[in-house]
Amino acid sequence: MTRPPLDLVPAGEPADPLTHNPLNGVTGGIWRTRRDGRPAVLKLITPPGGDGDVGPAHWAASAEPGHWNYWRREVEAYRSGLATTAWASAGQAGPAVLAVRDRPDGTVALWLAEADGRPGTAGTVGDFGELARRLGAAHADWLGRTGELSRYDWLARDWLRDYTLSRPVTEPVAWDHPVAVAAWPAPLRAALRGLWERRRELLAATDRLPRTLCHHDVWPTNLVLSDGGPVLLDWSFVGPGPIGEDAANLVLDTFFDGLVDVALLPEVADAVLAGYVEGLRGVVDPVLVARAVRLTGAAKYFWLAPVMLNRAGGATGQTYDRRDEAAMFAGRRPVLELLAHWADDSLP
């Protein structure tokens, strides 16, 4: 959908499409526009089976409130005030809500104030370290309080497990596919295979970590670096989860998607870990915090290498552009090596 429906944005008003995951059936479109004379962002939320819910099955919208991709979660997060207040004590918030409109076709129009500041994709090593410190402080504030979340029946029930186990891996995985052999040394392929084979052990280990309130999608595309502190966008996955997960995701998603020069990976990883440990200092043992980041990072992406190999071999019904395939496998190698190292450090 290149423009929003005319009942939301008249033809004469600006409506610039914003980048989002087009596979996710929950999102019908996002636009930068205006509302009541002020800059605004309009997000169209689509119910299961709606016109926007036409992507692959593993990105389908769900009508089940506890499901990892429950279609109304972000609407409820803003209506309840959770998105804008939950982490306010740590100087983090979601954008202000301007309006929420349930439409006759079943979709929901979510109007948010446009946050002023630099996009997260322009963040520096220092910016990511400071965000991680605030994440740690926010997570510390919710430790021991997750029982308070029981009044929100729309929160993700067990996001990390439900999301990761829903990724479409076809076995047997071709671990010795030529593109993998060329890009990934044998020890790395063996480590990634072990990561996949121990996936349930990884998830079980995350269950033993302290629980807090997680955003579940912290990465530069969902971040605005404002003068008043970082603003986090897209609260559609919010729910209880293990400490470490949001910090780990910040590191991994930043580089898996090529948003920052991969040469900065060691610096960003160190800064995020140090910042997150500092935010939880005095509340959780720093050794446990560091292990939690590594463990949840490994648990979040045990499926990625198998999916890449499935696609390279045509098992998904899709294939990479051969001109890009080798570059992608090689480009992700440093991040996958970090992932394997994290798994090795966090599992016995």
Side-chain angles (χ1 to χ4, degrees):
M1 188 182 295
T2 56
R3 278 192 62 88
L6 292 175
D7 64 302
L8 298 176
V9 180
E13 290 287 338
D16 300 321
L18 296 177
T19 301
H20 67 282
N21 178 4
L23 300 179
N24 195 327
V26 170
T27 307
I30 309 176
W31 299 269
R32 178 182 288 111
T33 182
R34 298 185 68 82
R35 182 179 175 86
D36 298 330
R38 64 181 292 184
V41 171
L42 168 64
K43 186 170 185 178
L44 192 62
I45 312 295
T46 306
D51 290 343
D53 192 11
V54 294
H58 62 279
W59 279 110
S62 175
E64 179 190 345
H67 189 276
W68 72 267
N69 207 29
Y70 175 51
W71 79 281
R72 289 186 64 92
R73 183 171 296 117
E74 187 169 26
V75 172
E76 302 302 338
Y78 280 107
R79 273 184 169 161
S80 68
L82 187 70
T84 53
T85 63
W87 289 354
S89 64
Q92 291 189 164
V97 185
L98 301 181
V100 180
R101 177 180 165 190
D102 292 280
R103 303 177 69 239
D105 65 356
T107 61
V108 181
L110 178 61
W111 295 87
L112 303 171
E114 184 175 9
D116 293 326
R118 292 177 292 130
T121 50
T124 65
V125 173
D127 290 326
F128 295 136
E130 174 58 17
L131 172 62
R133 186 192 66 78
R134 295 184 189 231
L135 282 174
H139 287 177
D141 186 50
W142 276 96
L143 285 173
R145 294 177 51 207
T146 52
E148 297 175 27
L149 300 174
S150 60
R151 65 182 183 275
Y152 304 124
D153 63 358
W154 40 263
L155 291 172
R157 174 187 54 243
D158 189 357
W159 193 91
L160 183 60
R161 175 175 276 97
D162 292 347
Y163 169 79
T164 56
L165 293 180
S166 73
R167 300 304 85 192
V169 175
T170 300
E171 296 197 83
V173 177
W175 294 103
D176 293 323
H177 187 283
V179 70
V181 171
W184 301 340
L188 176 58
R189 296 199 309 279
L192 295 174
R193 182 172 188 166
L195 194 63
W196 168 247
E197 292 172 348
R198 300 182 73 183
R199 59 194 179 278
R200 295 189 185 278
E201 183 181 349
L202 278 167
L203 290 169
T206 67
D207 291 338
R208 296 188 287 272
L209 295 171
R211 306 282 285 180
T212 187
L213 179 66
C214 294
H215 179 277
H216 292 305
D217 202 14
V218 177
W219 67 311
T221 299
N222 286 337
L223 174 66
V224 176
L225 299 163
S226 74
D227 291 341
V231 178
L232 276 174
L233 314 175
D234 195 351
W235 289 76
S236 55
F237 296 153
V238 63
I243 63 167
E245 185 188 340
D246 283 335
N249 196 76
L250 174 60
V251 175
L252 298 173
D253 268 9
T254 296
F255 293 98
F256 275 139
D257 286 280
L259 301 179
V260 174
D261 184 351
V262 74
L264 293 174
L265 174 61
E267 291 180 62
V268 171
D270 287 347
V272 167
L273 181 58
Y276 191 66
V277 166
E278 183 59 31
L280 281 155
R281 190 171 299 281
V283 182
V284 181
D285 183 344
V287 174
L288 178 57
V289 175
R291 178 174 179 269
V293 172
R294 296 179 180 121
L295 178 60
T296 54
K300 171 69 188 296
Y301 277 112
F302 59 69
W303 56 270
L304 182 58
V307 165
M308 290 175 67
L309 289 167
N310 278 175
R311 186 166 179 179
T316 64
Q318 297 175 302
T319 56
Y320 293 114
D321 184 319
R322 295 303 179 191
R323 294 169 297 180
D324 300 332
E325 183 178 72
M328 176 178 289
F329 272 71
R332 285 180 169 174
R333 172 180 165 179
V335 198
L336 291 169
E337 287 175 333
L338 177 66
L339 193 69
H341 174 67
W342 279 3
D344 189 54
D345 273 0
S346 57
L347 282 176

